[in-house]
Amino acid sequence: MHDLFDALVPPMPAAEAMAEGAMLLRGTALAYETDLLAALGDITARSPFRHMVTPGGFTMSVAMTNCGAAGWVTDRTGYRYDRNDPQTGRPWPGMPECFLALSVEAATAAGYPAFRPDACLINRYEPGARLSLHQDRNERDFANPIVSVSLGLPATFQFGGLKRTDPVKKFALRHGDVAIWGGPSRLFHHGVPELKDGMHETVGRMRINLTFRGAL
Ligand code: MD6
Ligand code: FE
């Protein structure tokens, strides 16, 4: 017999194309949830979340940290990848095995089987935090895609084009979803509008985003 809900809940597509080269995989991170959250606790104990300052002097509402061989940082001098955490003066925590396994699985499913990240930027959104429309272009080689994992509270992902003024599409990003970004859309503008308040049962009152890059 079929489960009652099979008849009532419209099937959620497991994969959605956002643009040429850009895919949204629903729920791919769920199988890794326990390991990811434990590893995240180890990372933030050594390199805590902090609100960085943009070159223009604005303090970001999204709090950030990193793991891997290099981490993305911003301060009054500009944006860059740094092998050390400027706050501790020590190398960023290493990339956990479960981070690597999830990002390679997702990249492979999206058509980028050679992807091996050397950096993971970890974003923490509390209610009201937002990330304005931007391009990710501090990485050395744009042949690498970016793999972006969403955990916790749901958010809206704004996804535009090469030009800042190109029309923007919106996608819901939920706990466990993975977006993969590369090829012709690697430099597309994207952003996250103000996070709505809520409480997630395992992550709490926040959204966590892991973005894996080939930075070096
Ligand atoms: C976020 N993500 O989802 C912010 N960048 O919280 C990004 O800025 C991003 O999701 C490049 C590729 C995928 C992303
Ligand atoms: Fe980005």
Side-chain angles (χ1 to χ4, degrees):
M1 202 179 99
H2 288 280
D3 191 279
L4 176 63
F5 290 100
D6 287 348
L8 298 177
V9 180
M12 189 162 65
E16 206 173 315
M18 296 194 291
E20 223 195 313
M23 295 260 294
L24 183 44
L25 305 179
R26 299 293 185 185
T28 302
L30 292 175
Y32 295 86
E33 175 178 8
T34 309
D35 290 349
L36 295 176
L37 295 178
L40 190 64
D42 295 341
I43 292 165
T44 57
R46 293 170 53 197
S47 278
F49 282 115
R50 81 291 306 262
H51 293 272
M52 298 186 196
V53 176
T54 66
F58 294 99
T59 299
M60 300 184 78
S61 61
V62 176
M64 298 178 173
T65 185
N66 291 275
C67 66
W72 186 87
V73 294
T74 174
D75 58 23
R76 289 308 300 252
T77 70
Y79 308 120
R80 67 182 183 278
Y81 280 94
D82 201 315
R83 290 179 178 274
N84 292 321
D85 177 351
Q87 192 169 294
T88 64
R90 292 153 34 102
W92 298 101
M95 181 92 69
E97 197 54 52
C98 59
F99 277 38
L100 202 59
L102 167 58
S103 61
V104 169
E105 179 186 328
T108 301
Y112 303 99
F115 180 61
R116 296 292 180 275
D118 55 24
C120 178
L121 169 65
I122 305 170
N123 295 314
R124 183 189 70 195
Y125 295 72
E126 291 179 310
R130 58 188 290 275
L131 198 60
S132 54
L133 219 56
H134 67 277
Q135 291 173 296
D136 290 25
R137 55 177 185 195
N138 300 120
E139 299 74 28
R140 196 180 53 76
D141 184 358
F142 297 144
N144 286 309
I146 292 181
V147 173
S148 168
V149 176
S150 292
L151 296 169
L153 291 177
T156 300
F157 197 54
Q158 302 167 316
F159 181 51
L162 278 180
K163 288 186 305 214
R164 204 170 204 291
T165 51
D166 283 340
V168 167
K169 291 190 220 171
K170 291 180 182 176
F171 298 88
L173 295 180
R174 303 182 194 89
H175 180 68
D177 291 350
V178 184
I180 303 96
W181 220 253
S185 52
R186 174 64 180 75
L187 291 174
F188 278 17
H189 287 77
H190 55 278
V192 178
E194 281 194 9
L195 192 80
K196 287 205 183 80
D197 203 354
M199 181 61 71
H200 186 272
E201 64 172 327
T202 56
V203 178
R205 195 181 176 202
M206 66 185 84
R207 170 175 182 261
I208 301 288
N209 167 254
L210 316 174
T211 60
F212 295 92
R213 296 113 189 276
L216 299 178

